[in-house]
Amino acid sequence: MKNRIIFSLLFVLGTVVSSSAKQDKYLKHTVAKGETITLIAQKYKVTPFDIYKLNPDSQNGLQLNSVLLIPPSAAEAKPAVAAQTQPKPSQNPTSHLVVAKETLYSISRQYGVSVDALKEANAELLKDGLKIGQTIKIPSGSGAVTPSAVVQKEVVKETPKPLVNTEVKEEAQRGNVAYHIIEPKETKYGVSKKYGMTIQELERLNPGIVNDFPIGMKLVVSGNAPAATTVKPVVSANPITEKPKDVNPSSGKKYLQEYVVKPKETIQSIANDFGISESELIQLNPELKKGVKLGMILRVPMIEKANVPKKEQGNLLKKINTNARKQLALLLPFNISKIESDTVNSTQARLKKDKFLNMTLDFYSGALMAIDSARVLGLNVDITILDSQETKNTSNVATLVQQNNLAVKDAVIGPFYQANVERLAELLEPNKTPVISPLSKELGKKYTNLYQSMPSVDQMRSAIFQFMKTKGGNIVAVVDAKKGSVKQYLQEMQSETKIVGLSAKGTFVADSLRIHLQKDKMNYVVLASESTGMILAATNAMLAAQKDYALQLVIMEPNETLDFEEISLTRLTKLKLLYPSLSRPNDTEEANQFDVKYKKLNKIIPNQYAIRGFDVTFDTLLRLSQEKTFEETIQTDASEQIENKFDYVQNATYGYSNNGIYILNYDIDLTIKEAQ
């Protein structure tokens, strides 16, 4: 079947210009005891950023005997700057290479400039925050001092410091001081992270917390405070003020306003009222990580709540308009030139081992089904199918834009890889041509015409927690010691969640779970572990507690360990496993007819990529066939296809993301159903 599709592609796509790139050979380094990224970078005369680019996992820490890839020619191309923490004072403007554990605050102290001045001088570079390996500009000014002077000043200060020391006074004179009151459950790590500092810097400004961290103590912190701490109270009976603030001149929503939280409002309800996602609302208001409270002053898009249109579900078929002819392009990574130039493997042999090609052909076969359905409905759309010739880091996007005049298309689906679809969105943004990312779960960059059709991991997590909160549940979490990022997410984004303590060896303790359970409500137990032993221990404790409590097992993301034979399906159904999903089980007549027709054409039942190809393409074709523009349908209409839902929300500062997420659970009849 797939051989036939490839040969038809050769006919449809025509001659494809091939391109090749010289493959670099990398050195390999085995991590020894006590080595750090900085030491390794010095050894090979590269920057830590060079190593992080080739070894992304190393940003989470080095493992003994793990192997790192090292760029070979870096020693000839650039000097060893990994250990350079202080630029030469003679440079004007001075530049600084960011190394591990540095913050804007520590760099500002090093050069005697304010954090705000650093941000202003590096506005474009710091859009996504400070990162290791970046070279930032150090603004010159009358108040600037040389790095050597800063070092000398630090060396002199070796005597014990009073609670309010000369260093704090110097900071205050530069207007670079803010204050923070320690609240219950706060830690040094949490406070230092909130203000862009290290723990050492926080302790240096507040010597009284070196051995203690008392609630209610007033701390001196850097001026790099979250924007929420500077929002002025609204002195008005009207909760929506009339004082706009310009945020991003190139975005679809240019202004923000202040909004006061009313009784019974939630993060989700406020986000829905103003037409943005929960993650966007939290991005605008970091204080929401601790939960929403009555009377809080939030920043929201400049739009009246009453004017936010309520989306209709699944009505696109009822309002088809075929008067105007539309143009749709699909950029899919067939990589035909590689297949044609492969003299070693036959097409059939390549299909057996090339998973990416198989995924592409499955998606394409589903898209062809959608195109056929559009033809039956009489939709007036011309469709162009192009080979994006892409890998994770390269594509033929720029050439295709020029050769096929993609800027005049009414919409484009693809490419597959996030970097490539973002490049296409960037090229087509001046024409406002919608670019739909079909498969990437990554967060998109700030392009107003980019539509992420796959919900992100953060959206999935947010959806399952919002469901539990809507049900008034008691949320408890069992988190494996290896899942540090999950624990941090719960503490920062879902702070009301009770985290079960583990033993000194990191194992599950049943009594630690029971003390958090409540008899008057459903107890949702969020399990984050890939250890069969921990999963069995936790679920055993839950099954035993069912006689006294109402419990339900919850996971935030797919967990392959639950498919192991040791963990029976019966166990999961008894606990009614609850989880967020991109797709739904669909046993309707329409879904069954799709399966029958697909199998008849392709001699196989459709997999998830084939169904995804149909759903994304058919949803786009329907939106192009309305009286409204594509963007207007996004704002007013949600749709549901075979297995996927498309409920796009406009992000506060860029593009759109899909909030079409299903909450599913295992039922006692051994089926999977939408949770009610």
Side-chain angles (χ1 to χ4, degrees):
M1 183 273 293
K2 290 180 179 175
N3 278 321
R4 177 169 55 82
I5 292 178
I6 289 180
F7 290 130
S8 67
L9 278 172
L10 293 173
F11 176 76
V12 172
L13 298 173
T15 304
V16 181
V17 179
S18 62
S19 62
S20 61
K22 183 179 179 181
Q23 184 176 2
D24 291 327
K25 293 182 179 179
Y26 297 105
L27 303 175
K28 293 184 178 180
H29 175 85
T30 302
V31 178
K33 186 175 181 180
E35 283 190 319
T36 65
I37 286 291
T38 301
L39 290 175
I40 297 170
Q42 286 178 310
K43 179 177 180 180
Y44 291 97
K45 298 184 178 180
V46 298
T47 68
F49 183 63
D50 292 326
I51 299 177
Y52 286 135
K53 280 197 299 184
L54 291 174
N55 309 272
D57 291 344
S58 64
Q59 297 183 60
N60 300 323
L62 295 180
Q63 300 294 326
L64 184 63
N65 296 324
S66 62
V67 178
L68 300 177
L69 294 179
I70 310 294
S73 58
E76 293 78 18
K78 52 191 150 186
V81 294
Q84 179 181 337
T85 59
Q86 301 171 5
K88 297 178 181 179
S90 60
Q91 294 176 332
N92 189 18
T94 308
S95 62
H96 175 84
L97 179 69
V98 180
V99 297
K101 297 185 179 181
E102 283 192 317
T103 65
L104 284 175
Y105 175 74
S106 65
I107 297 172
S108 72
R109 290 288 300 118
Q110 185 174 331
Y111 294 96
V113 298
S114 69
V115 172
D116 288 339
L118 284 175
K119 287 183 176 180
E120 184 176 349
N122 302 274
E124 185 66 25
L125 187 64
L126 297 177
K127 282 194 303 185
D128 299 320
L130 189 69
K131 296 181 180 179
I132 295 171
Q134 289 178 328
T135 299
I136 64 172
K137 295 179 181 178
I138 306 299
S140 59
S142 58
V145 294
T146 63
S148 58
V150 175
V151 173
Q152 291 172 3
K153 183 171 67 174
E154 294 296 334
V155 170
V156 171
K157 295 179 183 177
E158 294 182 354
T159 57
K161 303 177 183 179
L163 291 181
V164 179
N165 52 39
T166 56
E167 185 176 358
V168 174
K169 291 180 181 178
E170 291 171 5
E171 292 292 325
Q173 290 172 355
R174 284 197 291 264
N176 198 32
V177 163
Y179 297 96
H180 177 88
I181 305 298
I182 300 176
E183 297 180 5
K185 298 184 179 179
E186 282 193 319
T187 63
K188 293 180 187 179
Y189 172 77
V191 173
S192 62
K193 183 177 179 182
K194 182 176 182 179
Y195 293 93
M197 307 169 64
T198 65
I199 293 177
Q200 290 77 11
E201 290 163 353
L202 185 66
E203 289 180 340
R204 188 170 67 243
L205 289 176
N206 303 274
I209 65 169
V210 172
N211 299 314
D212 195 10
F213 203 67
I215 296 172
M217 182 176 178
K218 186 176 182 180
L219 302 179
V220 177
V221 294
S222 78
N224 188 22
T229 62
T230 61
V231 175
K232 297 180 180 179
V234 179
V235 186
S236 172
N238 182 359
I240 299 179
T241 72
E242 299 300 326
K243 296 187 295 182
K245 185 182 292 184
D246 191 5
V247 178
N248 183 359
S250 64
S251 70
K253 292 188 176 93
K254 295 184 180 180
Y255 300 103
L256 296 183
Q257 61 181 336
E258 294 173 346
Y259 176 77
V260 179
V261 177
K262 298 188 183 73
K264 298 184 179 180
E265 285 190 313
T266 64
I267 294 176
Q268 183 184 43
S269 69
I270 297 171
N272 290 341
D273 284 340
F274 288 95
I276 61 176
S277 66
E278 291 181 58
S279 59
E280 282 295 313
L281 183 62
I282 293 173
Q283 183 179 349
L284 291 172
N285 303 276
E287 66 271 26
L288 284 177
K289 293 179 180 180
K290 295 184 178 181
V292 65
K293 298 178 182 178
L294 177 64
M296 286 180 72
I297 301 170
L298 305 179
R299 280 149 299 162
V300 295
M302 181 60 72
I303 179 173
E304 294 289 342
K305 291 175 64 175
N307 293 335
V308 178
K310 185 175 181 180
K311 289 190 178 182
E312 299 182 36
Q313 181 71 43
N315 66 338
L316 293 175
L317 277 170
K318 300 177 183 178
K319 301 177 181 178
I320 291 176
N321 183 337
T322 60
N323 293 333
R325 195 160 190 79
K326 299 298 179 67
Q327 303 283 330
L328 172 66
L330 277 74
L331 271 61
L332 307 180
F334 300 113
N335 294 314
I336 294 297
S337 59
K338 290 184 179 180
I339 297 175
E340 291 179 325
S341 62
D342 192 343
T343 58
V344 177
N345 299 299
S346 65
T347 301
Q348 191 156 0
R350 193 176 184 91
L351 284 170
K352 285 184 179 179
K353 63 181 182 180
D354 194 332
K355 293 181 180 179
F356 188 70
L357 176 59
N358 276 276
M359 179 184 69
T360 301
L361 295 176
D362 288 332
F363 186 94
Y364 176 58
S365 66
L368 290 179
M369 290 275 290
I371 294 169
D372 184 59
S373 297
R375 188 178 297 114
V376 171
L377 290 171
L379 303 188
N380 196 3
V381 182
D382 287 333
I383 299 165
T384 305
I385 299 172
L386 301 169
D387 185 357
S388 56
Q389 297 188 55
E390 64 179 297
T391 64
K392 192 170 184 178
N393 301 310
T394 62
S395 75
N396 196 33
V397 164
T399 302
L400 292 176
V401 169
Q402 292 180 345
Q403 292 180 347
N404 299 276
N405 201 12
L406 294 184
V408 304
K409 300 294 183 184
D410 295 287
V412 181
I413 297 174
F416 280 7
Y417 283 114
Q418 184 68 24
N420 300 331
V421 82
E422 287 175 357
R423 174 60 175 154
L424 179 62
E426 179 184 17
L427 292 171
L428 300 185
E429 189 174 36
N431 297 80
K432 299 182 179 180
T433 304
V435 176
I436 297 97
S437 176
L439 290 176
S440 173
K441 295 181 183 178
E442 297 178 37
L443 294 176
K445 288 187 179 178
K446 300 181 179 181
Y447 300 112
T448 56
N449 60 328
L450 180 56
Y451 297 78
Q452 297 285 152
S453 70
M454 293 281 280
S456 67
V457 173
D458 284 345
Q459 285 176 292
M460 300 278 281
R461 288 177 172 179
S462 179
I464 190 68
F465 274 93
Q466 189 57 46
F467 176 87
M468 293 186 287
K469 293 173 187 176
T470 301
K471 298 297 181 181
N474 173 44
I475 306 174
V476 183
V478 178
V479 184
D480 196 305
K482 297 179 181 179
K483 297 283 185 178
S485 61
V486 173
K487 187 174 182 180
Q488 182 177 351
Y489 167 80
L490 295 175
Q491 291 172 333
E492 294 184 354
M493 304 294 287
Q494 308 295 343
S495 57
E496 71 282 5
T497 302
K498 304 174 181 68
I499 299 178
V500 174
L502 304 177
S503 70
K505 295 183 178 180
T507 57
F508 173 77
V509 180
D511 289 342
S512 296
L513 171 64
R514 291 186 72 95
I515 62 174
H516 292 300
L517 302 180
Q518 297 181 18
K519 290 193 174 183
D520 58 343
K521 56 179 64 178
M522 173 61 74
N523 294 276
Y524 294 105
V525 181
V526 181
L527 181 56
S529 175
E530 294 172 2
S531 163
T532 304
M534 178 169 283
I535 293 173
L536 288 173
T539 52
N540 282 338
M542 291 180 66
L543 290 169
Q546 274 189 326
K547 63 179 183 294
D548 300 316
Y549 302 94
L551 296 102
Q552 189 163 9
L553 177 63
V554 182
I555 57 174
M556 294 186 293
E557 52 201 20
N559 189 338
E560 293 181 358
T561 310
L562 297 180
D563 296 329
F564 291 178
E565 291 182 2
E566 293 92 333
I567 303 170
S568 67
L569 180 61
T570 304
R571 175 187 295 261
L572 301 179
T573 55
K574 285 182 178 179
L575 295 172
K576 294 186 177 181
L577 177 66
L578 185 75
Y579 62 99
S581 176
L582 299 170
S583 59
R584 59 167 176 167
N586 189 355
D587 293 325
T588 63
E589 183 179 350
E590 292 83 357
N592 292 330
Q593 288 177 352
F594 173 83
D595 288 350
V596 170
K597 185 176 181 180
Y598 185 93
K599 186 175 181 180
K600 184 177 180 180
L601 287 172
N602 301 288
K603 313 303 179 187
I604 192 173
I605 61 173
N607 63 13
Q608 60 175 322
Y609 297 111
I611 296 174
R612 182 75 186 170
F614 176 89
D615 286 355
V616 172
T617 306
F618 196 58
D619 174 75
T620 304
L621 287 166
L622 288 177
R623 293 184 186 279
L624 290 176
S625 304
Q626 307 291 310
E627 293 184 357
K628 308 169 186 175
T629 65
F630 183 89
E631 186 174 13
E632 286 172 342
T633 70
I634 291 292
Q635 294 171 346
T636 60
D637 300 286
S639 85
E640 204 165 21
Q641 304 305 330
I642 302 299
E643 286 189 358
N644 297 272
K645 184 191 302 183
F646 300 93
D647 183 10
Y648 290 96
V649 292
Q650 186 172 10
N651 300 319
T653 55
Y654 63 95
Y656 295 83
S657 57
N658 182 18
N659 207 30
I661 300 168
Y662 295 98
I663 305 299
L664 306 178
N665 70 265
Y666 284 29
D667 208 348
I668 54 176
D669 60 359
L670 303 183
T671 61
I672 297 176
K673 298 178 180 177
E674 284 192 59
Q676 302 299 321

